[in-house]
Amino acid sequence: MRGSIPILRVGGNLLATVHIELRDKVAEAFQEDVLETIEKTGAAGLVVDISGLEVVDTYVARVLADTARMAKLMGARSVLVGMRPEVAATLVRMGYAMDGVATALNVDEALILLTAATERRI
Amino acid sequence: MALEAGDRASSTGDGEAKRGDQVLSRAEMPIACEDDVVIVRRKVRSLAQARGFDTFALAALTTATSELTRNVWVHAGRGRVLIEELTDGQRFGVRLEFRDEGPGIEDVDRALAGGFSTAKTMGLGLSGSRRLVDDFSLESKPGSGTVVRLIKWTRY
């Protein structure tokens, strides 16, 4: 399960592209992979691209939101990108809008956000 | 002990096919492990897609299927789902009936109100699923299991 979703270094940030349907165990393993990679690389930011996901149920949504919160505790900022319109509509209708999770339209926008955040910090 | 009529139930409709609805196909799938969450929702998704569900309706139905299949696995360990394709002459529908013999739900109204979380769910699975479909009912009795029925129709 570990390593199912590649996590790449892009400058001082990490980019994870979720390209496979997230089974529960894969989602949990992904969370641990991300946190360990943040520690190992000292990355200041994390971008999670979920444009490949056709279904995000409340369980997977919670794992993604929790991952962002955990990364934040470690000192890294997270941005979720590429959520499909039907996925966004479904989550909000279910009452789970993933409050507190930063989002962007695409990876480029997310990296701009993260760069701006890092510069403010200096 | 099986569920009987009149057991604690809560519903938006009854999740049953109505007079005049025609059942086009019927299949049953077991729910017994985590992988079944993905297997069942893929099956439901492919049926609905073939019947012309639009992207939003497809996501709603697939997500509700995912939530309810997971509920069976997490709370009861095992159960089954009946999958029917319906038509009322104008639209196509998918009717699902999730059945388990798990611990049941003490407070059906509270579970359906949302935000009431047990095990590894967020407590939005049941209440959220109800909002995603056209017809929904939940029957449960502590100690004898739970039955959830739903129908989702194509829009036109």
Side-chain angles (χ1 to χ4, degrees):
Chain A
M1 297 297 161
R2 298 292 291 267
S4 302
I5 295 162
I7 302 167
L8 308 174
R9 266 193 98 151
V10 180
N13 299 306
L14 298 177
L15 169 62
T17 304
V18 183
H19 61 299
I20 50 169
E21 197 168 20
L22 280 176
R23 290 187 294 132
D24 295 13
K25 287 208 178 68
V26 173
E28 284 162 24
F30 170 63
Q31 185 172 75
E32 290 164 12
D33 279 345
V34 163
L35 300 178
E36 283 181 3
T37 309
I38 290 171
E39 188 197 25
K40 237 183 300 176
T41 59
L46 166 71
V47 179
V48 179
D49 181 356
I50 59 164
S51 57
L53 290 184
E54 292 176 332
V55 181
V56 176
D57 63 15
T58 57
Y59 180 72
V60 167
R62 182 171 70 169
V63 171
L64 292 172
D66 283 352
T67 304
R69 294 185 188 109
M70 292 167 184
K72 186 183 171 202
L73 285 180
M74 294 176 65
R77 288 161 194 268
S78 301
V79 184
L80 191 67
V81 310
M83 187 184 287
R84 295 186 182 199
E86 66 273 21
V87 170
T90 300
L91 284 175
V92 169
R93 281 162 70 192
M94 294 186 89
Y96 193 58
M98 302 182 76
D99 293 334
V101 176
T103 58
L105 283 169
N106 53 45
V107 174
D108 287 346
E109 295 286 332
L111 291 173
I112 291 169
L113 266 180
L114 287 173
T115 305
T118 309
E119 280 166 1
R120 266 203 310 277
R121 208 185 287 177
I122 296 167
Chain B
M1 202 164 53
L3 280 166
E4 291 156 22
D7 285 342
R8 308 198 59 169
S10 188
S11 60
T12 311
D14 58 11
E16 299 276 15
K18 305 297 173 297
R19 249 181 91 147
D21 291 349
Q22 189 190 343
V23 178
L24 300 169
S25 78
R26 182 176 283 136
E28 200 170 51
M29 296 178 79
I31 300 168
C33 63
E34 189 219 299
D35 286 350
D36 289 335
V37 173
V38 172
I39 293 168
V40 170
R41 82 179 178 215
R42 269 190 198 155
K43 168 79 178 170
V44 169
R45 184 184 178 84
S46 72
L47 284 179
Q49 200 157 22
R51 293 292 181 187
F53 277 66
D54 66 76
T55 314
F56 284 81
L58 209 51
L61 175 63
T62 310
T63 306
T65 304
S66 190
E67 301 288 344
L68 296 169
T69 307
R70 178 178 289 103
N71 274 356
V72 169
W73 168 60
V74 169
H75 297 293
R78 60 177 52 249
R80 53 193 195 276
V81 58
L82 175 72
I83 304 167
E84 288 180 345
E85 291 176 280
L86 307 176
T87 180
D88 64 358
Q90 293 179 317
R91 307 169 295 175
F92 286 108
V94 172
R95 192 179 90 84
L96 304 176
E97 190 170 299
F98 296 85
R99 204 170 264 281
D100 70 61
E101 290 171 14
I105 298 168
E106 284 282 348
D107 190 338
V108 167
D109 292 333
R110 194 171 160 209
L112 277 173
F116 174 55
S117 174
T118 57
K120 60 182 289 187
T121 60
M122 283 202 324
L124 292 172
L126 277 177
S127 60
S129 297
R130 177 161 70 164
R131 289 190 209 134
L132 295 176
V133 299
D134 298 311
D135 205 311
F136 183 96
S137 81
L138 168 67
E139 267 177 65
S140 189
K141 191 156 85 170
S144 50
T146 302
V147 182
V148 177
R149 299 181 180 88
L150 67 84
I151 301 176
K152 179 81 178 170
W153 294 101
T154 51
R155 256 178 273 203
Y156 303 103

